[in-house]
Amino acid sequence: MIRIEDYAGVVGRGMVEELFLLARHLRGKTIQNINSTSVGGGVAEILTRMIPLLKQIGVDARWDVIKGNERFFVVTKKFHNALHGVPVEISDDEFDLFLDVNRQNAADMNFGDMVFVHDPQPIGLIEKRGIVGGQWVWRCHIDFSHPDRKVWEFLEGYVTRYDAAVFSAPAFARPLPINQVLISPSIDPLSEKNRDLPEKSVSEVFERFGIDRSRPVVSQISRFDYLKDPVGVIKAYRIARRRVDCQLVLAGGGATDDPEGPAIMEQVQTEAAKDKDIHVVFLPPSSDFEINALQRGSTVVLQKSLREGFGLTVAEALWKGRPVIASAVGGIPLQIAHKYSGILTHSIEGTAHWIKQLINEPAYARKLGENGREHIKNNFLITRHIKDYLLLFLSTLRKGEIVYLDQ
Amino acid sequence: MARLAAGRKEADMNAFLFTTKLDLTYLLGRKAKNAEELRTLIAEVPAMSVYYHTHHFLYQHNYLSPEPPNDFAFWATNVLNDDALGEQLASIDIIQFVSIDEIRARFLEILDGHNSSAERVVEAPRGEEFHFMSCQTFAFPTSYSASSLREFREQLERVSVNSLYFHMFDARLRLKAGMNDFSLWFQDNGYPSLAEAVRKLDPYTYTLEGLRRAIIKLVESHDKN
């Protein structure tokens, strides 16, 4: 089991000690996280790592998952797409179904002193606040910059009943009568997905998937989802390929709450069938080791998302010192200072241009990777994330610009 | 060369208790898309927001040397593509001010000058507006304390950069002490020239780790025990 003290070797002893000092001020409070899936996707991944660490520093942290049927998740996927600005039709019956499932879950659930609700799926649980009391915070993990108006108006009625809303990027903030907090997600440097790997392990994974490491490898390792634009990645690769020799690896999986994954996967496979240098790898949820190796062994890592809540895959690749080319959407500009710690692009052509540049200029690519790793170390590791959550919970109890906590 | 005040022994020094601080970042939900709106909002936002935008780069990019300037300058240069305005905003010598309101006034002065002479208003692309933020600070004591220069040096090596930041930046500007905490302690304990040497450092021109090393070096040069 990973111990919180193990992180001192990465971020310094002082930082870890501060987490213990902060946690003392939350003694006696139950902090309950609620989301909609226990596997797949960034939220489940963060909670899986974070809950045990919170417990180790003395916080009574819990995690509950709401139950929903297939129809519920079809509706919530529509919400998800609508909040990302994709036009969708949602009927009154579907809004009613959404609320019915939330109310049923609220009736079956026991609530803690502080309730931390993640994403729109369980947002309606706030209706129970009048009965159970406590502090309630809503955590939005998705790109909220251009939400569909109808869906936002529906959700706003619930968001404003929370004590605070938490967003991953400044552009997601909007005029609201409640406090809005900026908390970026994080990666765990000691997890199977991010820990150091021997070169031999990296090569073994590439061999297993039939990828030639003697030639440049451009990869995008991300869920097969329309918003990750895997087809756009293939187009960028094809443009770059006219001038530089390289292979493309598209690797990823799906989440249990994403009904669109298989259709996107099929579209990608059709495109990939035309080129033996395009490797499409479907990764089941337990593939952290393989993801780690594929990222470490890539010459250039892409994240060509059309919309992005945060884009944790960027942080993962940067942590491994890889040069990253990513779209300037969602939380990605927080992770990459253009031309300093990575490359930000806005188009297929721009992505292709930088693929060629980084393959042809490995010294510059290496410098981008080194800066990127340092930036992630300072700002996007799980210890910083734990710190932010502790402060968030404390902020619901203590007001004022400067709060002095006793020892 | 600093010496102990006449008749004073190191054992008499008051203990310096290292405090640390952690910040929670708030989004104000207000944004500017050009220099005029930037001016209007800098005048309106809470002082804590001005403090945040002139200081948080020290945290976020503390591995880069030289560090990027304040957020306003970075935005003017990189989003509005106005190098002249960006340079003016970046060159504000923040260390010369002893209050956030003074810093705010200087930014407004520069923006007023720019806006009155600008030939056209440059708009930020959609999605790249300047988003105003603020922060809430939680300060709390650490387990580190020092009762001599030697102990001070040893403990300063151990504390997190957050603690260093609190005593050097927050103490001076936000707590309105006018001087950093380390200099106050050196002065109160018979080391006026060490106090002055640390006070004269421009902490905005160091990375946080570089600042830590610079202070330790100064303490070493004054510690003859």
Side-chain angles (χ1 to χ4, degrees):
Chain A
M1 186 181 79
I2 292 172
R3 296 175 311 130
I4 186 79
E5 290 83 359
D6 297 336
Y7 293 89
V10 181
V11 297
R13 202 175 76 175
M15 292 282 188
V16 174
E17 285 173 355
E18 286 173 357
L19 298 180
F20 277 96
L21 290 171
L22 267 189
R24 280 189 203 169
H25 298 277
L26 289 166
R27 282 217 181 117
K29 301 281 183 192
T30 310
I31 294 167
Q32 181 184 24
N33 292 271
I34 303 171
N35 80 323
S36 66
T37 177
S38 58
V39 285
V43 182
E45 194 171 313
I46 288 166
L47 289 176
T48 301
R49 311 294 306 179
M50 193 178 279
I51 300 290
L53 295 172
L54 283 168
K55 285 181 175 167
Q56 286 180 39
I57 59 174
V59 176
D60 185 0
R62 300 174 190 181
W63 178 12
D64 288 295
V65 177
I66 57 163
K67 298 181 185 75
N69 56 24
E70 199 176 327
R71 278 189 65 212
F72 174 74
F73 286 118
V74 169
V75 173
T76 60
K77 183 66 187 180
K78 282 188 176 182
F79 275 33
H80 182 87
N81 287 343
L83 292 172
H84 278 102
V86 179
V88 290
E89 276 299 317
I90 301 175
S91 68
D92 289 345
D93 284 350
E94 288 175 316
F95 281 118
D96 288 343
L97 170 75
F98 176 84
L99 289 178
D100 286 345
V101 171
N102 267 268
R103 285 171 187 150
Q104 187 56 51
N105 276 281
D108 295 343
M109 208 173 261
N110 294 314
F111 291 95
D113 300 309
M114 294 182 177
V115 184
F116 199 23
V117 172
H118 297 262
D119 279 340
Q121 298 93 334
I123 199 170
L125 296 177
I126 188 72
E127 288 185 339
K128 196 74 180 283
R129 181 181 189 168
I131 298 166
V132 299
Q135 276 76 40
W136 287 64
V137 176
W138 183 60
R139 193 348 168 182
C140 177
H141 293 268
I142 58 183
D143 185 334
F144 223 59
S145 46
H146 310 99
D148 173 84
R149 196 166 152 193
K150 187 178 174 190
V151 172
W152 166 241
E153 283 173 358
F154 172 78
L155 292 177
E156 189 180 15
Y158 295 94
V159 173
T160 51
R161 291 156 77 173
Y162 285 78
D163 291 302
V166 182
F167 296 101
S168 300
F172 304 164
R174 43 210 335 100
L176 284 174
I178 60 170
N179 279 333
Q180 298 176 74
V181 176
L182 174 67
I183 298 182
S184 302
S186 63
I187 60 163
D188 185 344
L190 305 181
S191 68
E192 185 72 357
K193 197 189 268 188
N194 296 306
R195 68 182 173 86
D196 284 342
L197 285 184
E199 185 58 28
K200 193 179 153 202
S201 301
V202 175
S203 292
E204 181 270 320
V205 170
F206 275 72
E207 276 171 33
R208 198 196 320 158
F209 292 129
I211 307 162
D212 177 9
R213 285 198 76 196
S214 69
R215 294 163 56 215
V217 175
V218 177
S219 68
Q220 174 159 304
I221 297 153
S222 193
R223 276 164 60 171
F224 287 101
D225 180 326
Y226 156 76
L227 294 169
K228 311 294 181 191
D229 197 18
V231 178
V233 169
I234 293 174
K235 288 178 181 167
Y237 153 80
R238 284 190 175 138
I239 295 171
R241 182 64 197 270
R242 290 180 207 150
R243 300 287 170 208
V244 292
D245 177 36
C246 60
Q247 305 156 88
L248 177 66
V249 176
L250 282 165
T256 54
D257 60 350
D258 180 10
E260 285 178 357
I264 296 293
M265 180 77 182
E266 194 182 323
Q267 198 181 349
V268 167
Q269 278 174 326
T270 305
E271 289 295 316
K274 302 168 190 168
D275 185 340
K276 64 179 173 43
D277 276 338
I278 299 179
H279 303 267
V280 178
V281 181
F282 186 79
L283 297 167
S286 57
S287 303
D288 288 353
F289 168 73
E290 286 77 8
I291 291 170
N292 190 342
L294 288 171
Q295 286 172 329
R296 282 182 193 281
S298 295
T299 316
V300 176
V301 176
L302 307 182
Q303 189 57 57
K304 217 204 105 15
S305 303
L306 301 174
R307 292 269 189 275
E308 195 61 77
F310 186 74
L312 272 180
T313 52
V314 170
E316 288 166 10
L318 290 174
W319 175 245
K320 294 165 182 102
R322 296 294 85 206
V324 176
I325 303 169
S327 304
V329 295
I332 291 176
L334 293 176
Q335 300 171 72
I336 290 179
H338 182 52
K339 295 186 185 176
Y340 287 97
S341 54
I343 299 297
L344 293 175
T345 59
H346 302 82
S347 64
I348 288 170
E349 291 77 12
T351 304
H353 168 74
W354 280 104
I355 290 172
K356 289 184 285 184
Q357 292 272 328
L358 297 190
I359 288 176
N360 287 335
E361 290 293 339
Y364 177 58
R366 194 178 314 116
K367 188 65 195 166
L368 289 180
E370 285 168 7
N371 278 347
R373 179 179 166 90
E374 201 61 28
H375 188 49
I376 299 305
K377 179 182 161 185
N378 287 330
N379 299 290
F380 299 108
L381 296 187
I382 194 166
T383 39
R384 192 277 310 151
H385 202 170
I386 291 172
K387 181 250 325 180
D388 280 348
Y389 276 5
L390 296 176
L391 294 177
L392 172 70
F393 304 141
L394 281 170
S395 75
T396 64
L397 303 170
R398 306 285 296 268
K399 304 298 175 195
E401 287 185 345
I402 300 184
V403 175
Y404 287 95
L405 301 169
D406 301 330
Q407 203 151 22
Chain B
M1 182 63 65
R3 304 296 304 163
L4 286 173
R8 189 157 193 170
K9 295 175 185 166
E10 278 230 329
D12 296 335
M13 290 180 85
N14 301 320
F16 185 88
L17 304 175
F18 284 88
T19 295
T20 191
K21 70 98 174 229
L22 297 168
D23 290 340
L24 183 65
T25 304
Y26 285 90
L27 299 163
L28 300 185
R30 307 189 72 182
K31 60 185 177 185
K33 62 177 183 299
N34 56 45
E36 286 179 3
E37 291 182 4
L38 185 70
R39 193 262 176 236
T40 303
L41 289 172
I42 287 178
E44 289 176 9
V45 294
M48 198 65 92
S49 179
V50 176
Y51 180 79
Y52 177 87
H53 289 296
T54 50
H55 286 75
H56 88 110
F57 258 46
L58 294 164
Y59 257 164
Q60 279 214 319
H61 295 277
N62 71 37
Y63 62 96
L64 286 178
S65 183
E67 288 157 12
N70 60 73
D71 286 349
F72 305 126
F74 187 83
W75 185 73
T77 304
N78 293 287
V79 176
L80 298 184
N81 288 316
D82 191 331
D83 290 341
L85 176 62
E87 186 177 294
Q88 272 190 296
L89 295 173
S91 62
I92 292 179
D93 184 17
I94 290 176
I95 190 72
Q96 71 175 293
F97 301 108
V98 293
S99 77
I100 300 166
D101 282 337
E102 284 182 25
I103 296 173
R104 187 203 307 259
R106 181 68 186 126
F107 276 102
L108 294 180
E109 192 183 342
I110 289 176
L111 283 162
D112 281 340
H114 171 272
N115 293 340
S116 63
S117 62
E119 290 171 3
R120 62 189 178 90
V121 176
V122 178
E123 304 273 318
R126 190 169 175 232
E128 295 187 48
E129 300 89 350
F130 188 93
H131 294 270
F132 280 85
M133 295 181 237
S134 183
C135 62
Q136 183 181 20
T137 292
F138 294 82
F140 49 98
T142 68
S143 57
Y144 300 104
S145 66
S147 297
S148 67
L149 290 188
R150 181 181 56 78
E151 283 179 11
F152 181 88
R153 213 173 61 223
E154 288 168 358
Q155 304 294 48
L156 187 57
E157 280 180 2
R158 293 188 183 124
V159 297
S160 71
V161 289
N162 302 322
S163 178
L164 173 70
Y165 191 96
F166 180 80
H167 291 299
M168 287 298 289
F169 294 90
D170 288 290
R172 199 180 77 83
L173 269 179
R174 290 172 65 186
L175 308 181
K176 300 183 174 65
M179 194 189 281
N180 70 77
D181 281 342
F182 299 152
S183 288
L184 278 175
W185 185 69
F186 297 139
Q187 188 168 289
D188 289 349
N189 287 279
Y191 291 95
S193 67
L194 176 57
E196 182 61 10
V198 173
R199 192 189 66 77
K200 278 171 74 177
L201 290 175
D202 181 352
Y204 296 92
T205 56
Y206 291 88
T207 63
L208 287 172
E209 287 301 339
L211 181 61
R212 187 203 302 263
R213 285 193 300 277
I215 297 169
I216 288 171
K217 203 171 163 190
L218 282 173
V219 175
E220 273 172 351
S221 71
H222 285 75
D223 182 15
K224 294 299 162 195
N225 296 300

